[in-house]
Amino acid sequence: MIGERMPNALAGLPFGWGAIIALINLALGSGVLAAWVRNRPKMREMDLGADEQLRSEMWRDIEALKQSKDAQSRRMTIAEAQIAGQTIQIGQQRFVLTLVIDELERVSPGNSVARQARVLLREILPAALAHPEEIGHMAETVMKAD
């Protein structure tokens, strides 16, 4: 009669065995859960530290790019000023050369040197000078040379 009588069962096992297995599962599961709960602040702190480091690196990179852009802008302004100054000088030199050629022709009409100089000044020199679309490339070249 005792053998026929089954005590309360848990998952098809006698209550005693079910309780023991449940306690083992609870102990193992709660150990993992307890470890996770204990380590969670450290893991969270590591995540926040990594995020902060990434943001810090990003802002340093942005600042370096801004400084590089500012430096490039300064060099470009200097190069443009140099080209503008050279353009003014060339214009002044053309003016002076024209005056000298005019005076040479006035003093010595039909002078072959004056005639050749005028041809060079009117036809060859403009071809040798940079066109406006080439000025940008020249400014970049001068900027890189500095």
Side-chain angles (χ1 to χ4, degrees):
M1 190 139 155
I2 293 180
E4 291 179 20
R5 186 169 171 217
M6 199 112 184
N8 293 337
L10 180 62
L13 296 172
F15 182 67
W17 286 108
I20 291 171
I21 292 173
L23 284 174
I24 291 172
N25 284 338
L26 184 62
L28 290 177
S30 67
V32 170
L33 181 62
W36 182 81
V37 168
R38 261 181 292 169
N39 292 328
R40 181 68 182 140
K42 293 176 191 172
M43 292 187 296
R44 182 85 172 131
E45 187 177 313
M46 287 174 31
D47 288 345
L48 291 175
D51 287 346
E52 186 61 35
Q53 182 181 2
L54 183 63
R55 281 190 193 98
S56 175
E57 290 174 5
M58 180 184 68
W59 284 114
R60 277 193 303 253
D61 291 344
I62 288 171
E63 184 61 30
L65 286 172
K66 284 180 182 179
Q67 289 175 354
S68 172
K69 182 181 175 195
D70 291 345
Q72 183 177 10
S73 178
R74 280 191 300 275
R75 289 192 307 269
M76 192 68 151
T77 301
I78 291 168
E80 288 171 348
Q82 287 176 343
I83 290 172
Q86 291 169 352
T87 303
I88 291 169
Q89 286 177 342
I90 290 171
Q92 290 170 344
Q93 290 170 357
R94 287 183 77 177
F95 177 74
V96 170
L97 284 173
T98 303
L99 288 177
V100 170
I101 292 169
D102 289 346
E103 185 62 22
L104 184 59
E105 285 180 336
R106 187 186 68 76
V107 172
S108 174
N111 187 321
S112 64
V113 173
R115 192 173 52 246
Q116 289 174 350
R118 191 167 302 279
V119 168
L120 287 173
L121 188 63
R122 286 186 181 159
E123 295 177 17
I124 296 177
L125 186 63
L129 294 176
H131 295 286
E133 54 272 0
E134 295 174 327
I135 297 293
H137 177 68
M138 288 171 44
E140 290 176 11
T141 304
V142 170
M143 180 187 67
K144 289 176 185 175
D146 287 345

